[in-house]
Amino acid sequence: MEKILITYYENNAKKLHKTVDKILSKFGGLSNKDLDDFYSLANEVFVDVMRRYDNSQSFDAFLYSCLFKKIKTEMTKRNREKRRVDKISISIDTPIGDEENSTIKDIIADDFTVEKVVFEEKEYSKRMLSYLGRLSEMQREVLRLDIAGYLPNEIREALQISKKQYLDCYAAIRSYRNASVLF
């Protein structure tokens, strides 16, 4: 047994690592961190195999079959966890609420808002004038009412516009193409 131990662990466990690498090559897509995890797993399996080995077959074959089963089980477990995470993940572009144009990314915390920039300006800068120049008269009016604290349905009622017209105006107010001049 000592001879087997020395054979597998000499040169920084080169033979054990080579055996693991041979098995892992069948699976692919592993990072160096994954390799370290599987080398550690191989050490655990090696100790167990040393304890259970009964000379009825080749040690190399017994170790290989035990390593293969354990690595396959671990890969299955990891893939199952990945699928579980994929099932519960959603895109930040997922629509939310009653408004068709509202998405999760719209409610992610961010200290930049067009309204805040407009509110903070005492005199309009060149950037602000450029931004406002990109907006239509209706869009500027929606922005003004929004800054004043009106709710979307109140803005639609005050301006006598449809929900779609309001959403289009609001999308233009918030669009990167228009707001990018403020950055």
Side-chain angles (χ1 to χ4, degrees):
M1 287 301 222
E2 190 171 325
K3 184 179 178 187
I4 292 172
L5 183 65
I6 291 170
T7 302
Y8 275 91
Y9 280 92
E10 69 185 348
N11 294 326
N12 202 18
K14 185 175 182 177
K15 186 171 181 178
L16 182 62
H17 289 187
K18 191 173 180 179
T19 305
V20 171
D21 291 341
K22 184 177 178 182
I23 294 169
L24 290 175
S25 69
K26 295 176 184 356
F27 295 100
L30 298 171
S31 68
N32 288 336
K33 180 191 176 297
D34 291 325
L35 286 177
D36 289 340
D37 291 346
F38 284 106
Y39 291 153
S40 296
L41 185 66
N43 287 327
E44 295 171 21
V45 171
F46 188 85
V47 169
D48 182 56
V49 166
M50 290 286 284
R51 204 174 331 113
R52 293 184 354 199
Y53 182 63
D54 62 2
N55 290 326
S56 64
Q57 61 180 336
S58 143
F59 181 83
D60 293 341
F62 184 55
L63 175 64
Y64 185 88
S65 68
C66 291
L67 280 172
F68 187 84
K69 288 177 187 174
K70 189 68 170 181
I71 289 172
K72 184 177 179 183
T73 301
E74 180 65 20
M75 292 296 278
T76 301
K77 179 181 142 204
R78 288 177 179 214
N79 287 333
R80 196 173 288 135
E81 289 170 0
K82 286 179 189 173
R83 285 192 305 271
R84 187 177 312 126
V85 169
D86 285 346
K87 285 181 182 177
I88 62 171
S89 64
I90 57 174
S91 168
I92 64 170
D93 292 320
T94 302
I96 58 169
D98 294 337
E99 297 182 17
E100 297 159 2
N101 287 348
S102 294
T103 63
I104 291 176
K105 69 181 171 192
D106 293 331
I107 62 170
I108 293 175
D110 185 2
D111 65 344
F112 174 82
T113 63
V114 171
E115 296 84 355
K116 182 178 175 184
V117 173
V118 172
F119 241 155
E120 289 176 350
E121 297 287 332
K122 300 296 182 226
E123 291 182 25
Y124 291 135
S125 65
K126 286 182 182 179
R127 288 181 179 181
M128 181 56 65
L129 291 172
S130 176
Y131 167 70
L132 292 171
R134 292 175 179 222
L135 301 179
S136 70
E137 189 175 322
M138 179 65 68
Q139 292 164 351
R140 285 193 301 270
E141 193 60 24
V142 168
L143 178 60
R144 185 185 66 76
L145 292 171
D146 188 48
I147 291 170
Y150 286 83
L151 296 173
N153 60 340
E154 295 171 329
I155 295 172
R156 290 194 317 262
E157 189 177 308
L159 299 177
Q160 297 182 348
I161 59 175
S162 70
K163 184 176 182 179
K164 181 176 180 354
Q165 287 173 310
Y166 168 78
L167 291 174
D168 289 345
C169 287
Y170 195 73
I173 291 166
R174 309 271 308 181
S175 76
Y176 179 78
R177 185 178 57 83
N178 288 335
S180 64
V181 297
L182 297 172
F183 302 120

